[in-house]
């Protein structure tokens, strides 16, 4: 099971990102664990400056906004 | 070109609605219609055009650029990029840590964060259309000045002593590692189509975020415009005693607005005879010293640093207010 972290200090866009990833994953029948990460130190360690950002299994995949559907599929599907 | 909006407001208020141009309600409504239509039309066009141009500007590149420059230039660059980089306040913490962990001095990072809420394309467009280019220029200069000055003072005081431990550690580590000439992050090469997509999303997002503020701001401005008699401020506050400026700064503190909401109010305040410096001090205090933002920064700073920053900002606003009041007979000769 993939562990997906949505990085962000808790703005609305971060919530949207987490929800959309969850929705796409359930639609594709993939089992994922989506977690929202708000701890500043963790976000810093990922070297992220624009949030929301997405890390999958500890690897940064996306940053700087709500990812669109195609991008979400590419991230969690592969 | 912008007279169109005056005509539109004339026609709607006095023609269609049949209101008396001398009445308070009529004047207010006219002001409201003229300003909202003008602001929205300009915003839609300008946000789109600016977003097209800056689609490839990202924070990683900005950070790299600042890193390569001399520290003194850094303050100006920090404030300058703070003004032009698209940036939402919910990203302040990651941005702060990204800069700090790259060894950029606290004062430069804060110059970026101070200037960011004060100057942005929306504020500039609104100022330009409502108050003219001279005023806009002065606003930009003092906005940058507040950022640069605030950042420098913070470094002179060695504010980095009062960072939270993990942030201070990251800063020290970066300072100890030689930076060398790391290659610049590549500018994403974007097709026109991708730029259009970026600009369209940006436009949608910004308008969604600010439309309420425009309505509220212009609404307040319109009410002031129609219902407060000309010269009211001069009659009731005196014309620019020294204590007016600190009073304006403190009055602005509990009000939390962004530049979009406060600029139409500024327009009315100035037209009603509040001195320009006092008005600016009020506006900056409303926009740049907001408690929600400060509470967010608590995640990376100790109270002592937060308090220091707060005091620096307040003092800066007062200096700006006094200075502009002093200079305004020369700066805005055609204004009153």
């Amino acid at each position: 099971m993939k562990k997906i972290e949505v990085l962000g200090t808790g703005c609305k866009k971060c919530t949207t990102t987490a929800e959309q990833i969850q929705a796409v994953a359930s639609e594709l029948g993939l089992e994922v664990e989506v977690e929202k990460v708000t701890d500043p130190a963790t976000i810093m360690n990922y070297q992220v400056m624009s949030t929301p950002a997405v890390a999958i299994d500890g690897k940064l995949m996306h940053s700087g906004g709500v990812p669109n559907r195609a991008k979400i599929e590419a991230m969690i599907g592969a | 070109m912008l007279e169109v909006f005056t005509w539109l407001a004339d026609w709607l208020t006095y023609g269609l609605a049949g209101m008396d141009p001398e009445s308070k309600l009529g004047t207010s409504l006219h002001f409201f219609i003229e300003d909202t239509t003008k602001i929205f039309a300009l915003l839609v066009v300008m946000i789109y055009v600016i977003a097209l141009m800056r689609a490839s500007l990202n924070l990683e590149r900005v950070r790299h650029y600042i890193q390569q420059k001399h520290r003194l230039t850094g303050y100006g660059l920090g404030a300058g990029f703070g003004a032009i980089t698209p940036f939402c306040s919910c990203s302040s913490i990651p941005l702060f840590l990204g800069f700090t962990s790259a060894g950029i001095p606290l004062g430069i990072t804060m110059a970026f964060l101070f200037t960011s809420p004060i100057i942005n394309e929306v504020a500039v467009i609104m100022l330009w259309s409502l108050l003219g280019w001279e005023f806009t220029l002065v606003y930009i200069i003092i906005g940058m000045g507040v950022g640069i000055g605030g950042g420098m003072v913070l470094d002179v005081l060695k504010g980095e002593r009062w960072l939270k431990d993990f942030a201070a550690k990251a800063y020290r580590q970066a300072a100890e590692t030689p930076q060398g000439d790391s290659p610049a992050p590549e500018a994403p090469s974007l097709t026109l189509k991708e730029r259009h997509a970026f600009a369209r999303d940006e436009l949608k997002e910004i308008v969604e975020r600010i439309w309420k503020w425009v309505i509220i701001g212009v609404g307040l401005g319109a009410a002031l415009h129609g219902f407060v008699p000309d010269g009211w401020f001069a009659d009731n506050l005196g014309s620019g005693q020294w204590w007016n400026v600190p009073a304006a700064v403190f009055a602005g503190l509990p009000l939390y607005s962004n530049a979009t909401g406060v600029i139409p109010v500024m327009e009315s305040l100035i037209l009603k005879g509040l001195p320009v410096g006092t008005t600016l001090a009020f506006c900056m205090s409303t926009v740049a010293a907001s408690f929600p933002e400060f509470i967010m920064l608590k995640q990376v700073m100790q109270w002592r640093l937060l308090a220091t920053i707060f005091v620096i900002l307040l003092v800066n606003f007062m200096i700006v207010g006094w200075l502009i009041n002093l200079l305004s007979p020369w700066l805005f000769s055609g204004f009153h």
Side-chain angles (χ1 to χ4, degrees):
Chain A
M1 187 164 78
K2 283 194 162 130
K3 182 166 177 271
I4 299 176
E5 289 169 300
V6 176
L7 313 171
T9 39
C11 58
K12 193 165 153 268
K13 279 197 265 180
C14 309
T15 320
T16 316
T17 304
E19 284 167 2
Q20 288 188 0
I21 292 176
Q22 189 71 66
V24 172
S26 348
E27 224 178 280
L28 297 175
L30 294 166
E31 265 199 61
V32 292
E33 183 198 333
V34 180
E35 189 197 345
K36 276 191 285 177
V37 175
T38 53
D39 173 46
T42 316
I43 297 175
M44 181 180 77
N45 289 336
Y46 275 113
Q47 298 268 311
V48 170
M49 286 201 287
S50 329
T51 54
V54 181
I56 298 182
D57 292 336
K59 192 163 171 286
L60 185 70
M61 304 293 278
H62 167 86
S63 79
V66 180
N68 60 27
R69 195 187 160 103
K71 182 130 195 208
I72 295 179
E73 282 181 14
M75 281 191 295
I76 61 173
Chain B
M1 191 181 86
L2 295 176
E3 293 86 52
V4 186
F5 299 102
T6 318
W7 298 336
L8 178 71
D10 281 343
W11 178 67
L12 282 173
T13 325
Y14 308 136
L16 211 61
M19 284 194 176
D20 178 2
E22 299 296 317
S23 70
K24 286 176 177 148
L25 196 61
T27 336
S28 292
L29 191 67
H30 186 273
F31 181 98
F32 183 78
I33 293 175
E34 179 179 345
D35 277 11
T36 39
T37 51
K38 183 160 69 180
I39 289 168
F40 278 117
L42 283 168
L43 282 180
V44 168
V45 177
M46 294 303 293
I47 291 173
Y48 179 83
V49 173
I50 292 170
L52 273 187
M53 293 191 289
R54 70 174 182 198
S56 54
L57 181 74
N58 65 34
L59 285 171
E60 280 75 13
R61 288 179 65 213
V62 168
R63 176 173 69 176
H64 181 82
Y65 189 71
I66 295 178
Q67 248 178 344
Q68 303 299 311
K69 300 288 174 194
H70 186 268
R71 183 165 179 147
L72 273 182
T73 337
Y75 295 103
L77 285 174
F81 279 115
I84 61 172
T85 312
F87 168 72
C88 131
S89 65
C90 54
S91 289
S92 351
I93 297 301
L95 175 123
F96 183 91
L97 290 170
F99 276 35
T100 305
S101 64
I104 293 179
L106 174 69
I108 296 180
T109 308
M110 287 313 295
F112 185 107
L113 289 178
F114 286 149
T115 315
S116 175
I118 304 180
I119 309 177
N120 53 55
E121 75 275 24
V122 175
V124 170
I125 295 163
M126 290 179 66
L127 280 168
W128 199 302
S129 60
L130 299 179
L131 290 159
W133 69 267
E134 296 101 329
F135 191 89
T136 311
L137 198 65
V138 171
Y139 181 90
I140 292 175
I141 292 171
I142 61 176
M144 299 267 301
V146 165
I148 294 171
M152 284 180 164
V153 173
L154 211 50
D155 279 347
V156 170
L157 295 174
K158 298 203 184 358
E160 67 275 8
R161 285 179 287 174
W162 304 315
L163 287 171
K164 280 268 166 80
D165 284 344
F166 75 95
K169 203 171 137 211
Y171 179 61
R172 274 199 307 275
Q173 272 171 0
E176 281 158 16
T177 351
Q179 293 297 320
D181 293 314
S182 55
E186 246 171 72
S189 63
L190 297 173
T191 62
L192 197 60
K193 207 173 145 214
E194 282 166 326
R195 279 181 187 266
H196 164 73
F198 173 84
R200 191 195 49 211
D201 291 349
E202 186 96 336
L203 176 63
K204 187 165 165 277
E205 198 208 308
I206 296 180
V207 172
E208 264 176 19
R209 181 155 46 88
I210 65 171
W211 70 270
K212 287 185 234 91
W213 291 100
V214 175
I215 305 267
I216 294 171
V218 179
L220 276 174
L224 274 170
H225 187 78
F227 291 91
V228 175
D230 289 337
W232 188 87
F233 289 106
D235 294 342
N236 288 274
L237 288 174
S239 44
Q241 271 94 347
W242 69 270
W243 54 265
N244 284 175
V245 172
V249 169
F250 286 108
L253 274 185
L255 304 173
Y256 171 50
S257 166
N258 54 23
T260 322
V262 90
I263 288 169
V265 177
M266 270 171 67
E267 181 196 12
S268 279
L269 290 175
I270 292 174
L271 291 174
K272 292 296 171 194
L274 192 66
V276 179
T278 315
T279 311
L280 277 168
F282 172 75
C283 161
M284 304 248 154
S285 162
T286 311
V287 171
S290 62
F291 287 112
E293 301 265 304
F294 269 85
I295 298 304
M296 272 209 293
L297 286 173
K298 178 71 183 77
Q299 296 178 59
V300 292
M301 295 174 182
Q302 300 172 21
W303 282 117
R304 188 144 183 199
L305 181 54
L306 269 189
T308 311
I309 290 176
F310 200 64
V311 172
I312 291 176
L313 272 182
L314 295 192
V315 172
N316 271 349
F317 299 150
M318 289 178 204
I319 294 174
V320 162
W322 284 320
L323 202 67
I324 299 291
N325 278 349
L326 208 65
L327 297 176
S328 62
W330 295 280
L331 283 175
F332 309 105
S333 45
F335 226 77
H336 288 291

